[in-house]
Amino acid sequence: METDLFFFLLLLFFVLVLSFDLTTAQIPGFISFDCGGQSNFTDNLGLDWTPDSQIIYGITTNISVTNETRQQYQTVRYFPADNRKYCYTLDVKSRTRYLIRATFLYGNFDNNNVYPKFDISMGPTRWATIVISDANVIESQELIFLASEPTVSVCLSNATTGQPFISTLELRPFNGSIYLTPFENQFFLGVSARINFGAENEDPIRYPDDPFDRIWESDLVKKANYLVDVAAGTDRISTNLPIDTRKDEQPPEKVMQTAVVGRNGTLTYRMNLDGFPGYGWAYTYFAEIEDLDPTETRKFRLVLPGAPELTKAVVNIQENAQGTHRLYEPGFENISLPFVLSFKFGKTYDSTQGPLVNAIEISRYLKISDGSFDGAVAASLVSGYMSLDWAQEGGDPCLPVAWSWVECSSDSEPKIISVKLSGKNLTGSIPSELTKLTSLEQLWLDGNALTGPIPDFTGCPNLKIIHLENNQLSGDLPSSLADLPNLSQLYVQNNLLTGEVSSGLLNKNIVLNYTGNAGLNKGSNGGRRNRNIIIGVVIGASALFLGFLTSCLLLRKRKKYSKTEPKRGMPVTTNAATEAAQSFTLSELRNATKNFENKVGSGGYGTVYYGKLNDGREIAVKILENNNVYQGKKEFANEVSLLSRIHHRNLVQFLGFCQEEGKDILVYEFMHNGTLKEHLYGPLARERGIKWLKRLEIAEESAKGIEYLHTGCVPSIIHRDLKTSNILLDKNMRAKVSDFGLSKLAIDGTSHVSSIVRGTVGYLDPEYYISNRLTDKTDIYSFGVILLELISGQEAISNVNFGINCRNIVQWAKMHIENGDIQGIIDPALGNEYDIQSMWKIAEKALMCVQPHGNMRPSMSEVIKEIQDAILIEKGVETAAARERSSGEVSRHSILNMGSLDLMANGQDLSIDESFTRPGAR
Ligand SMILES: *[C@@H]1O[C@H](CO)[C@@H](O)[C@H](O)[C@H]1NC(C)=O
Ligand SMILES: *[C@@H]1O[C@H](CO)[C@@H](O)[C@H](O)[C@H]1NC(C)=O
Ligand SMILES: *[C@@H]1O[C@H](CO)[C@@H](O)[C@H](O)[C@H]1NC(C)=O
Ligand SMILES: *[C@@H]1O[C@H](CO)[C@@H](O)[C@H](O)[C@H]1NC(C)=O
Ligand SMILES: *[C@@H]1O[C@H](CO)[C@@H](O)[C@H](O)[C@H]1NC(C)=O
Ligand SMILES: *[C@@H]1O[C@H](CO)[C@@H](O)[C@H](O)[C@H]1NC(C)=O
Ligand SMILES: *[C@@H]1O[C@H](CO)[C@@H](O)[C@H](O)[C@H]1NC(C)=O
């Protein structure tokens, strides 16, 4: 009976697996370029290869000698060994993580037997140096990245020996949050090692066993100094039973079905890590695949030479994975590793079995280059000429090397200083983008077919040399050109210009040629000299010099202004006297509130009453608790006048104060729609709950208010008591944060002991709680809790809703999200009216916000960006494809497993995850 059931389940499982395989056979978004290839084909893995004919540069050829038979390796595309870069541009889906793989099989394609060496870059970021050392061996580079734009470019450059070439370029999208790291906006992951232990043969495991086509190298492949020093007693084991791997990085089942076991108590390996030393991402994949007797235990530790603190954590796979044949994936989100890595797993003294490892994966962090200063302008410029050669060079205009027609400054963030597009068949008017290249010194557009007027170049104050001759430009010769302080040569001859040459230009100490413009005359009151070329006017020099000086000052001044302008609002350092808060009398407030008749709220430092002033303004009057803590009126007034200088559309406006009869009273604008809390749970919520998009907008608005407190105020203000009852909604349901700045009043006022921890249970940052060290990351934690409430409609703390042994929304949400069950936490009141992708975005960010360590949490502005992305998705800006990708079997992700609450609940011994290198185990 029971065995029948077992076989039925097994059968069901295989049916499921099969259908899963069928659907993965057409993973959308796979791009496989057969570089130099001639035709489309499907290889025996089922991957569809296409020729790389999109790239117009380079020469395709067959390789001459090799033992490799796969079709995509029979050809290469190679490029001249010059100073240029040669780029592929690939379409990607923004905000999706990808694996990109470039491979190189030299095969003596040039019959020269000179092994090439060159660089490969990803946009402006240097990716790797490709060094060929054997004509028959495929070099491969892999990178994992989060797409932030609709395209990425991969470029070859810096031919040091031989000619740069490429065999294949492969792009594989991940779904969900596989390989999400807190650093993905600043760093790529350059894959160094991905090893399948206990492999059955030397073949790597990849697609279709791995639906994302990662390549899991067999541990049987022995390269020099790679996987050596294997401990005696290392056994290879395998199973045919299914393994549940649908979490975290979702390693393929086939990889997890094999492992090595240290029968003598240890597993040791030594290997070279390409690209290290440096900081990296290192994870281990475990699944218990031996049937251990209940009396047996398998507990072991990782030992890394020189990192004793990592040794504390004990792995007990069965316990950690909550069962056998299930994935447990602990690791380090940021760890410093050497080039030659020796590592060991050793059993604990009380364990009966030796350690077991199924797979490991190590990547290095590659700092993403911001690109050149003029990148966006240049991209917009070339987008207008996509059919022309020079516009198709691809990548960043300056990095790692400049386009052939561009010169750049050598700053770390290079700027374009020269554009040479002479005789390039340009038509239409002079592209306006050129006037936005603020550091431009030379502009060569001569010998094209440009028409229309000469634009205003005052935005390029460094211009020295301008060549516009031999075009069909019309209109006049702008007199503003004379204002360019550095201009020394201006060529506009042989155009269709009309009007007069301004005296400013004629008198300027420059080379000027405007012949061949039938309609263009020397100004009547113009030049002292009746000549086209005015060279070396010494007399004018000192006057010119003066003029130059003042314009520089003007320029500087303007710059300064524009720099400070966007700094929002009022820094608190401005003179207090000018902006003192309004002082209300108690009788005024009695009047307005009908003698404090209508109580609208309490808590958060006091009780709040509704009121209406004589001028019709509706107000909220808060009577602070801790009566009479301010000895003098002046002291209180000083404190609150600080508040009156904090203005932001997402902060509840402070109107004034009153201190009479021993009462400290604060007056605010009245917020008609009450607290966010009431809208999330309770009777009001049931009546007319708020939709997901509205929740996102509320999140964005309150986040902006908090960001302003953190970054827009000097000194910055930490709220300390963020919660849904402190987020208020106005008439138009716009969110504003309230009660900011009060913690200081309350704390300093009551006890003068500023080390008292303030905050509300459930929202309280555990790190702050333990250390008493207050930073803006304390607010981030609380905001993460608010995000979780917005997703789930659950209160931060609940004795009933979170199940046994779990009273806290953070613990509860993390558990669900880590098990891939985001549906399990989504507020049922939302129905189906949300996009799962935006939900994931917020869930992931929320978990980042509640990381146990403050420095792992994002800043408010990062959070805002994520919320805004989610809003875009929700508003349907994303295409149907994105929806498709995110529907169905949603991958899940756990960013951390650090047990944020356990940390404070009981000071249990640190696990592997809590060592000082801040790993994120999953
Ligand atoms: C190859 O396949 C692509 C689509 O994958 C198609 O656009 C292209 O025309 C095909 N090329 C050839 C030469 O068949
Ligand atoms: C490459 O090989 C194919 C078939 O073997 C042949 O048709 C083609 O002409 C060769 N190309 C070059 C550039 O030698
Ligand atoms: C070709 O030979 C090289 C050694 O020269 C070896 O490393 C490589 O694996 C071989 N490739 C194939 C497909 O046999
Ligand atoms: C080009 O490569 C050489 C050798 O690999 C290296 O020293 C040099 O810095 C590289 N140049 C650039 C511009 O990356
Ligand atoms: C490993 O264990 C086996 C048997 O248990 C023993 O024969 C062998 O000497 C041990 N090897 C080492 C290096 O301890
Ligand atoms: C310019 O365009 C014309 C016609 O469109 C073409 O014949 C000519 O080859 C082009 N010249 C250059 C330098 O691209
Ligand atoms: C000015 O331009 C015309 C036409 O290109 C040329 O013939 C003449 O030599 C130029 N004058 C000078 C001084 O360069």
Side-chain angles (χ1 to χ4, degrees):
M1 192 57 196
E2 258 173 38
T3 45
D4 281 356
L5 182 65
F6 175 73
F7 280 116
F8 172 73
L9 286 177
L10 201 64
L11 187 69
L12 188 69
F13 176 82
F14 282 119
V15 168
L16 286 175
V17 165
L18 278 179
S19 56
F20 183 66
D21 265 348
L22 282 178
T23 55
T24 58
Q26 290 111 30
I27 285 221
F30 270 34
I31 295 177
S32 309
F33 279 140
D34 169 17
C35 302
Q38 302 296 323
S39 54
N40 289 343
F41 68 95
T42 302
D43 70 11
N44 58 10
L45 297 175
L47 296 170
D48 296 327
W49 293 87
T50 54
D52 64 340
S53 35
Q54 61 137 284
I55 186 164
I56 58 171
Y57 299 100
I59 304 164
T60 68
T61 189
N62 297 333
I63 57 177
S64 339
V65 288
T66 179
N67 51 356
E68 173 63 62
T69 54
R70 283 174 287 179
Q71 185 171 342
Q72 64 268 32
Y73 286 111
Q74 301 315 304
T75 56
V76 297
R77 181 181 295 272
Y78 68 95
F79 304 95
D82 57 16
N83 292 327
R84 288 184 53 178
K85 63 167 179 264
Y86 296 93
C87 301
Y88 288 84
T89 303
L90 304 172
D91 292 332
V92 290
K93 192 94 210 120
S94 203
R95 295 195 299 274
T96 298
R97 279 174 212 95
Y98 284 90
L99 171 74
I100 189 162
R101 178 163 50 225
T103 71
F104 309 87
L105 176 59
Y106 172 52
N108 196 19
F109 68 83
D110 51 5
N111 293 312
N112 263 337
N113 277 313
V114 176
Y115 290 169
K117 178 176 172 185
F118 54 92
D119 288 347
I120 177 169
S121 56
M122 172 85 165
T125 305
R126 259 208 72 215
W127 174 357
T129 298
I130 306 300
V131 185
I132 304 298
S133 50
D134 184 330
N136 289 318
V137 172
I138 299 171
E139 286 297 323
S140 178
Q141 289 291 336
E142 284 190 8
L143 202 65
I144 292 169
F145 66 98
L146 173 72
S148 56
E149 299 193 351
T151 61
V152 293
S153 55
V154 173
C155 307
L156 309 188
S157 64
N158 195 17
T160 311
T161 56
Q163 305 183 80
F165 73 97
I166 182 166
S167 302
T168 70
L169 189 57
E170 300 160 66
L171 190 67
R172 312 287 184 239
F174 291 112
N175 63 22
S177 35
I178 295 183
Y179 295 107
L180 175 137
T181 78
F183 320 107
E184 62 185 357
N185 293 321
Q186 293 98 49
F187 295 90
F188 295 135
L189 284 175
V191 180
S192 260
R194 195 189 289 117
I195 303 165
N196 172 26
F197 285 102
E200 282 170 348
N201 53 48
E202 292 199 353
D203 297 336
I205 288 177
R206 59 180 296 184
Y207 186 85
D209 293 309
D210 186 334
F212 308 112
D213 196 25
R214 288 166 290 190
I215 293 180
W216 301 79
E217 296 288 354
S218 161
D219 64 339
L220 290 171
V221 174
K222 289 273 182 276
K223 296 184 226 159
N225 203 18
Y226 194 74
L227 292 187
V228 292
D229 286 356
V230 181
T234 299
D235 252 13
R236 314 174 71 78
I237 60 169
S238 67
T239 179
N240 289 323
L241 290 176
I243 315 268
D244 183 355
T245 64
R246 286 162 304 160
K247 65 188 265 213
D248 302 328
E249 271 53 62
Q250 304 185 20
E253 180 176 64
K254 198 165 171 190
V255 166
M256 298 304 293
Q257 282 174 327
T258 65
V260 287
V261 179
R263 296 290 181 216
N264 281 23
T266 58
L267 286 171
T268 60
Y269 289 95
R270 194 180 79 214
M271 60 202 271
N272 287 358
L273 287 178
D274 268 349
F276 284 90
Y279 286 90
W281 177 103
Y283 274 77
T284 323
Y285 300 92
F286 298 112
E288 181 55 77
I289 58 171
E290 278 194 318
D291 286 323
L292 296 187
D293 190 273
T295 60
E296 302 271 1
T297 56
R298 188 193 306 285
K299 298 203 289 188
F300 54 94
R301 293 184 162 100
L302 169 66
V303 182
L304 284 181
E309 69 287 344
L310 301 187
T311 303
K312 287 178 186 149
V314 174
V315 177
N316 179 339
I317 305 172
Q318 268 196 72
E319 213 164 75
N320 297 131
Q322 294 164 32
T324 63
H325 302 93
R326 287 171 62 90
L327 171 66
Y328 172 54
E329 188 194 318
F332 302 93
E333 238 165 20
N334 187 10
I335 185 174
S336 168
L337 292 174
F339 173 58
V340 179
L341 175 68
S342 295
F343 62 93
K344 169 170 146 182
F345 290 98
K347 80 176 191 68
T348 62
Y349 66 92
D350 60 342
S351 170
T352 62
Q353 294 283 325
L356 177 154
V357 177
N358 307 68
I360 65 170
E361 196 173 358
I362 299 176
S363 296
R364 68 189 189 279
Y365 282 114
L366 273 180
K367 181 91 183 80
I368 301 174
S369 161
D370 289 336
S372 52
F373 182 84
D374 298 308
V377 174
S380 159
L381 171 64
V382 297
S383 70
Y385 300 92
M386 266 335 208
S387 58
L388 301 179
D389 268 30
W390 59 270
Q392 295 185 35
E393 294 188 19
D396 185 274
C398 300
L399 293 170
V401 294
W403 288 337
S404 60
W405 47 278
V406 156
E407 275 174 49
C408 299
S409 65
S410 50
D411 306 322
S412 65
E413 195 185 11
K415 303 185 169 102
I416 294 179
I417 55 175
S418 165
V419 168
K420 288 193 175 144
L421 290 171
S422 307
K424 296 279 192 198
N425 252 356
L426 297 185
T427 55
S429 49
I430 294 178
S432 63
E433 286 88 356
L434 292 171
T435 65
K436 298 179 189 143
L437 299 173
T438 49
S439 298
L440 196 62
E441 293 171 12
Q442 294 196 27
L443 177 62
W444 299 65
L445 294 173
D446 50 299
N448 286 298
L450 292 165
T451 54
I454 297 175
D456 180 2
F457 278 107
T458 44
C460 317
N462 298 329
L463 267 175
K464 291 192 180 95
I465 298 174
I466 302 180
H467 281 271
L468 301 175
E469 69 269 26
N470 303 324
N471 280 292
Q472 286 134 46
L473 297 167
S474 55
D476 56 9
L477 189 57
S479 59
S480 63
L481 288 167
D483 300 334
L484 294 172
N486 297 322
L487 190 67
S488 63
Q489 299 177 31
L490 174 61
Y491 299 93
V492 294
Q493 66 268 29
N494 301 330
N495 277 293
L496 305 171
L497 298 172
T498 53
E500 291 184 346
V501 182
S502 76
S503 58
L505 273 173
L506 288 173
N507 291 336
K508 210 170 159 63
N509 183 14
I510 61 170
V511 176
L512 169 66
N513 192 342
Y514 59 88
T515 57
N517 287 284
L520 188 63
N521 308 306
K522 162 175 73 76
S524 50
N525 59 352
R528 292 166 283 128
R529 279 150 222 244
N530 196 3
R531 269 200 267 149
N532 296 338
I533 310 151
I534 304 162
I535 300 175
V537 184
V538 183
I539 332 158
S542 61
L544 267 169
F545 184 62
L546 269 180
F548 174 51
L549 257 186
T550 49
S551 72
C552 266
L553 285 177
L554 273 176
L555 217 86
R556 270 232 193 100
K557 216 164 175 185
R558 209 177 307 136
K559 241 188 195 150
K560 226 176 194 162
Y561 265 106
S562 67
K563 234 183 186 162
T564 47
E565 237 160 42
K567 264 227 162 130
R568 300 132 297 177
M570 286 278 118
V572 174
T573 46
T574 51
N575 185 352
T578 59
E579 285 181 80
Q582 181 180 350
S583 172
F584 291 91
T585 65
L586 191 56
S587 67
E588 239 178 310
L589 294 180
R590 282 219 168 91
N591 251 338
T593 60
K594 298 194 175 139
N595 205 15
F596 302 105
E597 179 190 74
N598 191 358
K599 180 171 150 182
V600 291
S602 64
Y605 314 105
T607 310
V608 185
Y609 299 89
Y610 172 81
K612 194 167 187 176
L613 293 174
N614 283 337
D615 62 9
R617 270 187 296 168
E618 292 175 285
I619 54 173
V621 178
K622 169 171 278 183
I623 305 186
L624 291 184
E625 283 157 10
N626 311 313
N627 282 357
N628 220 355
V629 293
Y630 292 96
Q631 285 81 16
K633 191 169 179 144
K634 193 160 164 257
E635 195 183 331
F636 182 66
N638 272 344
E639 278 303 334
V640 296
S641 70
L642 290 181
L643 292 180
S644 69
R645 275 176 277 127
I646 304 171
H647 298 288
H648 188 274
R649 65 199 298 260
N650 299 118
L651 295 175
V652 174
Q653 201 192 336
F654 176 73
L655 299 176
F657 68 101
C658 166
Q659 192 184 39
E660 276 178 46
E661 297 178 16
K663 287 187 167 66
D664 297 328
I665 302 178
L666 303 175
V667 181
Y668 293 94
E669 65 172 317
F670 181 69
M671 299 288 285
H672 287 83
N673 273 310
T675 69
L676 172 59
K677 184 174 179 167
E678 299 163 60
H679 289 268
L680 285 181
Y681 13 80
L684 185 58
R686 275 192 290 280
E687 216 173 278
R688 45 186 185 98
I690 38 177
K691 296 209 158 85
W692 178 233
L693 177 60
K694 187 70 219 170
R695 293 186 193 194
L696 288 174
E697 285 165 357
I698 289 171
E700 183 193 8
E701 286 156 1
S702 29
K704 282 180 171 167
I706 300 161
E707 185 197 31
Y708 177 76
L709 292 175
H710 289 176
T711 61
C713 298
V714 185
S716 76
I717 292 175
I718 298 165
H719 190 295
R720 300 194 207 195
D721 197 16
L722 288 171
K723 51 186 172 185
T724 46
S725 56
N726 271 339
I727 292 174
L728 305 185
L729 300 165
D730 71 4
K731 256 186 219 148
N732 308 313
M733 291 294 283
R734 195 165 75 186
K736 299 188 181 196
V737 175
S738 77
D739 273 5
F740 49 89
L742 291 193
S743 47
K744 179 163 168 22
L745 279 183
I747 290 165
D748 295 351
T750 50
S751 65
H752 298 278
V753 180
S754 56
S755 61
I756 282 186
V757 171
R758 272 264 161 182
T760 302
V761 179
Y763 295 89
L764 188 60
D765 169 12
E767 190 176 53
Y768 167 49
Y769 180 81
I770 291 167
S771 69
N772 275 357
R773 263 205 332 270
L774 185 67
T775 72
D776 53 0
K777 295 301 171 85
T778 296
D779 284 349
I780 306 285
Y781 183 93
S782 311
F783 192 73
V785 175
I786 292 173
L787 288 177
L788 293 175
E789 292 183 73
L790 286 169
I791 292 173
S792 64
Q794 297 287 345
E795 297 199 53
I797 291 283
S798 163
N799 284 328
V800 287
N801 291 341
F802 299 143
I804 304 155
N805 286 336
C806 184
R807 293 182 53 226
N808 183 294
I809 194 170
V810 172
Q811 249 175 327
W812 170 76
K814 247 171 56 179
M815 193 180 68
H816 278 275
I817 295 171
E818 276 164 15
N819 287 328
D821 175 25
I822 195 176
Q823 303 286 356
I825 63 163
I826 295 176
D827 188 351
L830 291 173
N832 288 324
E833 292 176 58
Y834 56 83
D835 187 310
I836 190 77
Q837 187 90 343
S838 73
M839 198 60 90
W840 266 115
K841 261 191 160 329
I842 300 302
E844 282 171 357
K845 215 59 186 182
L847 284 199
M848 304 273 251
C849 290
V850 297
Q851 297 249 35
H853 299 290
N855 56 3
M856 301 293 290
R857 297 174 201 151
S859 69
M860 214 63 221
S861 50
E862 285 169 65
V863 177
I864 291 174
K865 195 178 163 299
E866 209 72 12
I867 298 171
Q868 287 169 337
D869 284 354
I871 289 176
L872 286 183
I873 296 174
E874 203 56 38
K875 285 186 172 163
V877 171
E878 286 264 313
T879 60
R883 265 207 185 89
E884 208 172 275
R885 197 181 59 237
S886 55
S887 66
E889 171 86 31
V890 177
S891 82
R892 36 111 297 77
H893 207 277
S894 58
I895 305 152
L896 47 129
N897 213 357
M898 302 197 212
S900 61
L901 292 150
D902 311 354
L903 189 74
M904 59 177 287
N906 44 19
Q908 11 163 264
D909 50 349
L910 288 172
S911 78
I912 196 169
D913 320 321
E914 283 155 1
S915 67
F916 87 122
T917 49
R918 307 211 180 295
R922 324 213 185 182

